[in-house]
Amino acid sequence: MIKTVKTTPYADQKMGTAGLRKKTRTASQENYIENFLQSIFNTIPNLNEKSFLVGGDGRYYNKIAIQKIIKIAAANGVKKLYVGKDCLVSTPAGSHIILENHLDGGFVLSASHNPGGIDGDFGIKYATSSGGQCQPSESAAIFEQTQNITEYRISDCPDFDLTKLGTFYCENTEIEVIDPYVDYIKLMESIFDFKKIKKLLTSDFRFIFDAMNGVTGPYAKKIFEEILGAPKGTVAHGTPLEDFGGLHPDPNLIYAKHLVDIMYSDTAPDFAAANDGDGDRNMILGKKFFVSPSDCLAVLTDNYKLIPAYKNGIYGVAKSAATSLAVKHVAEKLGIGYYEVPTGWKYFINLMNSNRITFCGEESFGAGASYIREKDGIWATLFWLSIIAETGKSVKEIVLHHWQKYGRNYYLRNDFEGIPQDIADKLMADLENSLPSLVGKTFDGYTVSEAYPFIYHDPVDKTSTKNGLIIHFSDGSRIVYRLSGTGTNGATLRTYIERYVTDKLDEEPDEMLKDLSHISRIISDVTARTGKEQPDIIT
Ligand code: VG1
Ligand code: CO
């Protein structure tokens, strides 16, 4: 039986950089998920012809929310839902399932790299038939629905067993519980030379893949251990846990410190990769060596010919404006297209669909390509293993060689977290107003050559998006400021700092960027406005 339930709007259901992201306690309030899902369905015509994917990264509250999604979808007359077995699907695998099966969209329940549990975060990434997350115009229409909602529809059928493959019905909606791994693994086999990687992984090469107790554990065990022959135990933290076992599943030097400590010890293995909760981010480490995500994109692009799927050529490459310019040097040398977009993978979709780019990446530990419409941590890992297998070089040798060829963009991101929203908004507004007056000024020897708000003009649909403020210095250094769109606790000011050099290639970024970090704080006036002398997080 279908019930119609009266409800009232929640004011805060606006999607950010990557879907709706909330404290779990917020998301588990009465009617919260129901309102949001009904609002999405209200924007989609002819639901009786539409099919969607449902899955998630294994975090707490996903199982409860997925039962609700099934019943709301059924009550709204959706044709079919494909549900990942055990409620699991990684963000990249989800994108592939949507594209491969020509689905009309999907819901990946994840707050990505944010911690999980009742006191952690919960999230919903809503993808459309593009295979990627909805565009700003679509999320605006959904937000409007959330602000005017008065009722939602829900089936009162009992909960379903989602731990076994099979098909059943809720009202007239077909529910198929699918294997979330098999098609994705085939896709990876079609891109990379698995034989060559297997040869490497069955030699004395030592490798750790850290799934951070997120969703990539089962994918990684199947791919690296079962298919590619890496020893059992290669995949660490490989079982998805509702609270990520207490880990903050963000693969960076701070939250994956346990892995960094291993890789900087004298007994470090040759190579390590870590993924985030939903499997779209990656961190790459060699023996006593960290690859910055911006450099990672540049190195992958430079080595595209080593991968069977790309050896005949790539269209071009794109990065978010905040990402370092390292890949720009590569694009110029290769003579391929080069684009800068706002932060968020959805801005790459038009460029991929129009064959302008093949590769794309973000400084926030994201890299990927046009075989799907999300970033992909396992793809990046397989790409690195391929480069190592083909060149016989270590991670450090590969990156040093890259810097010798192109110069190095030293890069750091400083995050000031938990700032009251009004203070953060005022800081950004004042900073934007001050930009014209900065040009020509010199700070500690760095002279501002240009300062402007970043406005992206999409070459495909001609939309414009404003995202961040950029300051260029005459030596090629840059500072970018923007506010995070994924936080759940006040505002986060992100300050992205880079400096380009062609000598002094193997120095510490902290040291090389000390002056610019200081300048970035002077220009933003962050200390006086927030009381913070230093960033909370430096990555
Ligand atoms: C952050 C990153 C951004 C990334 C987004 C989603 O957004 O900076 O590059 O696309 O998270 O990542 P923000 O607005 O907080 O800076 V994930 O792994 O959710 O899907
Ligand atoms: Co993620």
Side-chain angles (χ1 to χ4, degrees):
M1 224 185 66
I2 293 167
K3 293 188 295 184
T4 299
V5 181
K6 294 272 169 251
T7 186
T8 50
Y10 283 99
D12 64 348
Q13 296 196 319
K14 198 179 216 143
M15 287 185 249
T17 312
L20 186 74
R21 213 165 280 189
K22 295 290 161 193
K23 290 266 162 239
T24 310
R25 287 192 193 274
T26 302
S28 53
Q29 293 173 93
E30 191 181 8
N31 296 342
Y32 198 90
I33 300 295
E34 290 84 343
N35 279 13
F36 186 65
L37 258 292
Q38 184 65 55
S39 298
I40 293 177
F41 287 138
N42 287 348
T43 65
I44 307 173
N46 306 327
L47 282 168
N48 61 340
E49 296 166 8
K50 304 282 158 84
S51 301
F52 300 91
L53 167 74
V54 187
D57 64 2
R59 72 179 58 224
Y60 172 68
Y61 205 63
N62 279 4
K63 287 185 175 161
I64 298 166
I66 285 175
Q67 296 289 347
K68 289 180 195 268
I69 292 174
I70 291 173
K71 293 170 197 178
I72 296 165
N76 280 276
V78 165
K79 181 173 174 225
K80 179 166 179 181
L81 294 179
Y82 293 72
V83 184
K85 183 174 169 293
D86 298 318
C87 296
L88 296 176
V89 72
S90 74
T91 291
S95 178
H96 179 55
I97 292 167
I98 293 170
L99 292 171
E100 172 103 332
N101 299 289
H102 307 287
L103 306 189
D104 300 287
F107 306 95
V108 173
L109 275 57
S110 174
S112 185
H113 52 287
N114 296 14
I118 180 68
D119 290 313
D121 291 350
F122 173 84
I124 300 181
K125 292 182 171 182
Y126 166 54
T128 63
S129 60
S130 71
Q133 290 172 58
C134 66
Q135 293 299 311
S137 59
E138 292 159 323
S139 52
I142 293 164
F143 181 63
E144 200 184 315
Q145 290 291 327
T146 67
Q147 297 312 289
N148 294 301
I149 193 163
T150 57
E151 59 183 39
Y152 63 84
R153 286 179 290 286
I154 191 161
S155 164
D156 69 356
C157 59
D159 280 0
F160 296 98
D161 178 2
L162 303 172
T163 63
K164 289 186 203 78
L165 301 180
T167 298
F168 47 82
Y169 281 83
C170 178
E171 309 298 341
N172 291 320
T173 301
E174 184 183 346
I175 316 290
E176 185 180 343
V177 178
I178 58 163
D179 177 321
Y181 313 112
V182 56
D183 290 343
Y184 175 81
I185 293 169
K186 277 194 207 132
L187 177 68
M188 291 300 112
E189 284 177 311
S190 75
I191 295 173
F192 298 101
D193 186 336
F194 267 39
K195 275 206 197 100
K196 281 211 175 113
I197 303 174
K198 184 166 188 173
K199 204 167 156 212
L200 178 73
L201 293 185
T202 51
S203 70
D204 57 3
F205 182 82
R206 287 165 59 232
F207 161 47
I208 304 178
F209 182 92
D210 194 326
M212 306 278 280
N213 295 323
V215 74
T216 43
Y219 291 87
K221 281 186 198 160
K222 287 176 202 290
I223 293 174
F224 299 118
E225 296 182 4
E226 290 170 28
I227 300 174
L228 293 171
K232 281 239 157 343
T234 294
V235 177
H237 300 116
T239 305
L241 299 176
E242 290 204 327
D243 64 350
F244 303 107
L247 287 178
H248 184 151
D250 193 352
N252 63 30
L253 296 174
I254 295 161
Y255 297 120
K257 188 168 182 302
H258 54 277
L259 182 64
V260 175
D261 287 345
I262 295 172
M263 294 308 291
Y264 278 78
S265 73
D266 289 336
T267 53
D270 300 287
F271 177 64
N275 275 193
D276 73 336
D278 64 329
D280 55 356
R281 296 187 177 208
N282 75 86
M283 175 170 68
I284 300 295
L285 297 161
K287 261 188 217 286
K288 301 193 181 183
F289 195 81
F290 162 70
V291 184
S292 87
S294 295
D295 282 340
C296 175
L297 176 63
V299 170
L300 300 187
T301 305
D302 196 39
N303 284 288
Y304 75 87
K305 281 196 180 136
L306 301 181
I307 308 301
Y310 309 121
K311 68 172 192 293
N312 295 328
I314 54 175
Y315 288 115
V317 63
K319 69 168 193 72
S320 65
T323 302
S324 98
L325 295 170
V327 74
K328 189 178 184 190
H329 306 304
V330 179
E332 279 166 358
K333 167 118 193 308
L334 296 176
I336 57 173
Y338 167 77
Y339 301 84
E340 285 187 19
V341 306
T343 292
W345 214 258
K346 55 181 170 281
Y347 296 105
F348 295 128
I349 296 175
N350 281 341
L351 299 176
M352 293 194 246
N353 287 348
S354 60
N355 289 343
R356 284 178 165 83
I357 61 165
T358 302
F359 292 167
C360 40
E362 294 186 298
E363 53 67 41
S364 55
F365 297 82
S370 55
Y371 60 95
I372 52 169
R373 298 294 178 269
E374 292 281 3
K375 54 191 187 267
D376 187 343
I378 287 184
W379 175 86
T381 308
L382 287 165
F383 205 137
W384 273 95
L385 287 168
S386 306
I387 299 174
I388 294 166
E390 290 283 354
T391 62
K393 289 193 177 125
S394 71
V395 174
K396 182 168 181 177
E397 286 165 345
I398 291 165
V399 178
L400 281 179
H401 172 73
H402 186 90
W403 291 336
Q404 280 151 7
K405 193 163 158 195
Y406 291 104
R408 176 170 179 188
N409 291 73
Y410 281 93
Y411 185 87
L412 283 178
R413 183 174 103 185
N414 292 341
D415 289 340
F416 300 87
E417 297 184 333
I419 304 174
Q421 191 67 48
D422 53 334
I423 290 180
D425 290 339
K426 176 102 176 31
L427 183 155
M428 288 300 284
D430 291 349
L431 184 55
E432 183 167 347
N433 288 332
S434 76
L435 292 178
S437 70
L438 292 174
V439 178
K441 275 198 185 149
T442 301
F443 299 85
D444 286 346
Y446 289 86
T447 303
V448 176
S449 55
E450 282 178 275
Y452 53 90
F454 175 66
I455 299 171
Y456 177 61
H457 302 289
D458 191 304
V460 176
D461 61 21
K462 308 293 174 209
T463 52
S464 297
T465 309
K466 202 165 111 177
N467 191 273
L469 308 173
I470 304 187
I471 298 177
H472 283 271
F473 296 88
S474 52
D475 72 329
S477 297
R478 295 195 319 157
I479 301 176
V480 179
Y481 298 93
R482 57 180 286 282
L483 296 182
S484 159
T486 58
T488 58
N489 180 24
T492 295
L493 171 68
R494 302 205 196 283
T495 309
Y496 310 84
I497 298 159
E498 73 172 298
R499 175 176 169 200
Y500 178 62
V501 296
T502 49
D503 53 359
K504 292 207 211 162
L505 295 176
D506 199 9
E507 307 293 323
E508 285 305 315
D510 288 353
E511 204 38 52
M512 292 296 283
L513 296 171
K514 205 163 74 194
D515 292 346
L516 277 167
S517 291
H518 177 70
I519 295 167
S520 76
R521 295 196 296 275
I522 300 289
I523 292 178
S524 66
D525 195 25
V526 64
T527 303
R529 287 164 185 262
T530 66
K532 290 176 188 280
E533 303 272 350
Q534 293 293 332
D536 297 283
I537 299 280
I538 303 176
T539 49

